[in-house]
Amino acid sequence: MIPDTAPLINQGLLYDRISKMTQSELRISHGNSSSTLPSAIIGGYVFVDWMVSREHNELKEIADRMRRSGCENEFVQTYCSVRRDALDAYLPMLGIDKLSIEEARKNIEWDSLEGKMRKWIPAVKIVLEDIVSREKILYDHIFHDADGIKEICFNEIVKGFVMQLLNFGEAVANGRRSPEKLFRILGMYDAMAHKLPCFEAMVTDEFVINKAKGVLCGLGEAASGTFVEFKNAVHSERWETPMQSGDIHPKTRYVIGYLKLLVENGDTLKLLLESGEDDGFFVALQNDSDSDNDIYNDNSELSPVARRLLLLVMSSVQATLKAKSKLCEDSALKYIFLMNNFQYVVQEVKDSVLGKVLGDNDWVRKRGGQIDQYAMSYLCASWSKALSCLKDEGIGGSTSTDTKKVVAALKERFKYFNTCFEEIYGVQTAWKVPDAQLREKLRISISEKLILGYSSFLGRYGNQVERKYIKYTAEDLQSYLWDLFEGSPRVLNHMKKKSK
């Protein structure tokens, strides 16, 4: 206990006392050793071990004595100066850098900005609740019977500290919108939304509170606008032309991966919707009465808005794939492209959280029907000419009296069939069907029509022409079919011809 009759402490010693208290009050664990803040951050979080210490009690006595002696202003000025510097030092340790709105709107590299946004999320949780709460306890202890001074001093120091954090959030909210930012923005929004009530209960400065609410609202609007950018990008002409091999388009993989993350952030989207802090886009989705019952799954644990968003983008990606498939010069390749991409979407739905939203069985069954239709269209576009060679029409049959015309027709049929098959083989061995089940299903479908038709035709007419016109046996063709859709182009014109 420091008596009132003791000489007033000088400014330098007071500064030293407050600094020592600041250095001793926060400690973090680091392995088997201990270090004093500001010194280290573990995994982006400050692990605080704080309690009222001897230094706090001594400082409280100094504050009481100086206040009774009429030197309260000197104490507050020195105390606030030290505490402000101490708090300001924590932000760089938490990975928070200054970012202006102008900088956020520039083409700052995404890897750099994403790293800053990722660090901001745990930082806002620590600052708005843990550190501010600790400061509140400290001020209540030191300024226990001086409510007016305590509130002013607390608000002033917290204001300067928190404003740096909020300025970064505001810069991101007002920055250039691009699809890759959505999930980090949602993470920032979620952190702010959950910690703001606690912060608001402790801080009475209206400017800071309104600033925090403005940042939260801005992040909500940014999330809404960013998703609109994503939706527009899916539905726009920014997709490249279809893959020359008919393979899965990179944008299809990107969009489905994006939708998975969207569903995983369903709770945050729901929070955003319920708060009314977006620019109307998510609200419009929730109120959309034209939702597709095909994917509306009431048993889903996800929010209605997540289902609307998923419907919107899934419809857009399917429409875009169909539009892009029309750019294929080969009509058969068009259906390979559609089969590959739709099969990928269906499989990803079955194997992920998307199935919970889309109503796994019904949605998959209907899209599976579409894939079957594309397979039939492929067979027609690709193999009709070859199969037409195996028909009896135009040959004359066994009752014809003009044997030479029959033989000549058969020779042309076999030659044309060989040419058709070799052309198809050369082209479609370069095409790629990555899904093993779909690839096998296509080969079997071809075999059922082509091999059976060829075997029957060969049995009826094979003995009427020289062997040189029959380049392939049914077994040869069957073997060659297994080379299709492997993405490795091959040719048959170099192969040894059958003996005459």
Side-chain angles (χ1 to χ4, degrees):
M1 184 74 177
I2 302 176
D4 288 345
T5 56
L8 288 178
I9 191 167
N10 64 51
Q11 200 80 0
L13 186 55
L14 176 60
Y15 188 94
D16 182 65
R17 291 283 182 88
I18 300 173
S19 296
K20 286 182 178 179
M21 178 205 71
T22 300
Q23 292 294 318
S24 65
E25 67 186 17
L26 294 175
R27 288 181 173 82
I28 58 173
S29 296
H30 190 282
N32 296 322
S33 62
S34 169
S35 59
T36 304
L37 280 178
S39 60
I41 297 294
I42 301 174
Y45 290 89
V46 179
F47 292 88
V48 180
D49 178 17
W50 183 86
M51 62 184 65
V52 176
S53 65
R54 178 178 59 81
E55 288 85 356
H56 292 112
N57 290 328
E58 182 177 330
L59 195 61
K60 175 179 176 297
E61 293 182 14
I62 293 173
D64 290 342
R65 185 162 62 87
M66 293 187 71
R67 186 168 57 252
R68 289 193 294 269
S69 302
C71 298
E72 183 177 54
N73 290 337
E74 287 84 347
F75 178 85
V76 169
Q77 181 179 2
T78 303
Y79 182 84
C80 289
S81 176
V82 175
R83 294 304 297 177
R84 187 182 296 112
D85 290 343
L87 292 179
D88 288 347
Y90 295 158
L91 289 180
M93 293 163 55
L94 291 168
I96 302 304
D97 299 324
K98 292 182 179 180
L99 180 71
S100 68
I101 294 176
E102 291 73 20
E103 289 173 325
R105 285 177 174 169
K106 292 179 181 178
N107 292 326
I108 181 173
E109 289 189 8
W110 167 238
D111 288 345
S112 175
L113 181 59
E114 192 269 344
K116 297 176 187 293
M117 294 168 72
R118 177 166 41 84
K119 292 176 181 177
W120 190 91
I121 294 170
V124 82
K125 295 176 181 179
I126 293 170
V127 169
L128 294 191
E129 184 173 1
D130 297 337
I131 294 181
V132 172
S133 176
R134 176 189 55 75
E135 286 297 303
K136 181 69 172 175
I137 294 171
L138 182 59
Y139 282 69
D140 287 342
H141 180 70
I142 294 176
F143 300 97
H144 64 103
D145 58 352
D147 292 340
I149 292 295
K150 175 176 64 177
E151 183 174 340
I152 293 172
C153 191
F154 173 72
N155 283 335
E156 185 63 26
I157 290 182
V158 168
K159 176 181 178 180
F161 174 55
V162 172
M163 285 297 290
Q164 294 183 54
L165 192 72
L166 297 180
N167 286 340
F168 181 90
E170 182 181 37
V172 170
N174 287 281
R176 185 176 59 86
R177 293 171 181 174
S178 55
E180 68 270 12
K181 294 180 181 178
L182 176 60
F183 302 106
R184 287 302 178 198
I185 291 175
L186 287 175
M188 293 174 69
Y189 177 88
D190 183 75
M192 278 290 295
H194 282 92
K195 295 304 179 182
L196 183 57
C198 178
F199 178 73
E200 192 174 359
M202 293 184 289
V203 178
T204 59
D205 189 299
E206 291 187 4
F207 178 82
V208 178
I209 295 300
N210 290 335
K211 176 80 169 183
K213 290 180 177 179
V215 170
L216 180 64
C217 181
L219 290 170
E221 292 177 356
S224 173
T226 301
F227 185 83
V228 172
E229 285 291 317
F230 170 68
K231 178 185 72 69
N232 292 340
V234 171
H235 202 59
S236 73
E237 294 299 315
R238 282 183 257 177
W239 287 45
E240 300 85 357
T241 56
M243 308 295 288
Q244 294 302 310
S245 64
D247 203 351
I248 301 164
H249 200 290
K251 286 290 181 66
T252 304
R253 298 181 189 273
Y254 170 72
V255 170
I256 295 303
Y258 202 92
L259 292 179
K260 287 181 183 179
L261 289 174
L262 184 67
V263 171
E264 291 172 2
N265 283 271
D267 290 342
T268 303
L269 291 173
K270 183 178 180 181
L271 180 65
L272 173 59
L273 178 66
E274 292 175 345
S275 69
E277 285 164 346
D278 75 292
D279 61 5
F281 175 69
F282 291 147
V283 174
L285 285 173
Q286 187 189 41
N287 297 331
D288 181 12
S289 59
D290 297 325
S291 60
D292 188 351
N293 290 328
D294 177 39
I295 75 162
Y296 191 91
N297 178 17
D298 285 329
N299 294 323
S300 170
E301 298 177 358
L302 299 163
S303 65
V305 69
R307 294 192 288 267
R308 297 290 192 276
L309 292 170
L310 187 57
L311 164 62
L312 186 66
V313 177
M314 194 66 82
S315 298
S316 292
V317 75
Q318 291 179 72
T320 301
L321 287 170
K322 290 177 182 178
K324 290 301 179 184
S325 71
K326 295 177 182 179
L327 299 176
C328 294
E329 296 180 1
D330 190 318
S331 59
L333 180 60
K334 162 186 173 180
Y335 296 112
I336 293 293
F337 174 75
L338 287 171
M339 275 189 286
N340 277 333
N341 284 271
F342 273 65
Q343 178 68 22
Y344 175 79
V345 171
V346 166
Q347 196 60 48
E348 287 296 304
V349 168
K350 290 171 63 177
D351 296 342
S352 72
V353 293
L354 295 176
K356 295 180 181 179
V357 184
L358 295 173
D360 195 349
N361 294 330
D362 291 341
W363 192 92
V364 167
R365 183 170 57 252
K366 291 182 179 181
R367 271 60 193 181
Q370 286 182 286
I371 295 171
D372 290 339
Q373 290 177 2
Y374 293 144
M376 293 175 63
S377 297
Y378 156 78
L379 289 172
C380 181
S382 188
W383 294 98
S384 291
K385 290 182 180 180
L387 290 172
S388 69
C389 300
L390 307 178
K391 296 180 179 179
D392 292 336
E393 291 84 348
I395 294 178
S398 59
T399 60
S400 174
T401 57
D402 194 343
T403 304
K404 290 184 178 180
K405 288 184 178 181
V406 172
V407 172
L410 287 173
K411 289 179 180 179
E412 289 300 315
R413 288 290 184 89
F414 278 107
K415 285 170 64 178
Y416 188 63
F417 175 85
N418 293 337
T419 299
C420 285
F421 184 82
E422 288 165 1
E423 289 179 353
I424 292 172
Y425 181 89
V427 171
Q428 297 191 19
T429 51
W431 294 357
K432 189 171 182 63
V433 177
D435 185 89
Q437 290 185 343
L438 178 60
R439 187 169 62 247
E440 182 178 4
K441 184 177 180 180
L442 279 173
R443 290 167 176 169
I444 291 173
S445 298
I446 297 169
S447 178
E448 288 175 349
K449 290 184 175 293
L450 184 73
I451 304 304
L452 290 177
Y454 185 77
S455 296
S456 178
F457 187 81
L458 196 60
R460 294 194 303 274
Y461 302 111
N463 60 353
Q464 299 186 40
V465 296
E466 298 96 326
R467 291 294 303 274
K468 67 179 181 179
Y469 294 101
I470 305 174
K471 295 176 65 174
Y472 308 107
T473 65
E475 290 75 17
D476 291 333
L477 297 181
Q478 182 68 68
S479 176
Y480 296 146
L481 289 183
W482 297 106
D483 294 334
L484 302 182
F485 316 126
E486 293 288 350
S488 178
R490 300 185 181 187
V491 292
L492 288 174
N493 57 11
H494 69 286
M495 294 186 176
K496 183 179 179 181
K497 296 182 179 181
K498 304 296 177 181
S499 59
K500 298 181 181 180

